[in-house]
Amino acid sequence: MKSPVPARRPGHMTSRKRGEEALRHFRAAMDISPDMIFLIDRASMQFVDVNDRTCQVLGYRREELLAMGPQDVAPLPREELSRLF
């Protein structure tokens, strides 16, 4: 006889679903901010994520910015930006 599968409690979320939900909340919070927000991988000096306001101010689509880094949009040398970050 097979063991019954434990019933899930109402409202129970898997770890993956909790992570997805947290990411949606993070994205929503970033995108409603009136400030420019960008996340940068310091090792590669590439944008990891940017919010809608950053796209509007800089005049790029998110996909374009994610192929760039701060050195592509700021008037400072890469070495200086790396030091600042």
Side-chain angles (χ1 to χ4, degrees), residues 45-61:
M45 288 302 287
Q46 292 292 120
F47 292 123
V48 175
D49 203 355
V50 297
N51 69 343
D52 287 344
R53 183 66 178 154
T54 300
C55 297
Q56 292 166 352
V57 170
L58 296 179
Y60 292 97
R61 292 185 333 264

Side-chain angles (χ1 to χ4, degrees), residues 5-53:
V5 176
R8 296 207 184 252
R9 296 172 303 202
H12 174 78
M13 293 178 111
T14 65
S15 177
R16 189 188 82 188
K17 288 206 186 263
R18 281 192 301 272
E20 290 170 357
E21 184 70 13
L23 188 57
R24 277 192 294 277
H25 286 202
F26 179 73
R27 163 65 47 212
M30 276 184 57
D31 283 339
I32 63 170
S33 175
D35 298 318
M36 291 173 56
I37 300 173
F38 42 90
L39 306 178
I40 299 168
D41 178 332
R42 191 165 179 261
S44 68
M45 288 302 287
Q46 292 292 120
F47 292 123
V48 175
D49 203 355
V50 297
N51 69 343
D52 287 344
R53 183 66 178 154

Side-chain angles (χ1 to χ4, degrees), residues 50-84:
V50 297
N51 69 343
D52 287 344
R53 183 66 178 154
T54 300
C55 297
Q56 292 166 352
V57 170
L58 296 179
Y60 292 97
R61 292 185 333 264
R62 181 175 279 124
E63 297 77 23
E64 292 174 305
L65 285 170
L66 295 181
M68 302 166 75
Q71 68 279 358
D72 298 314
V73 296
L76 296 172
R78 181 184 172 117
E79 295 75 28
E80 179 70 12
L81 290 166
S82 183
R83 187 184 66 73
L84 292 170

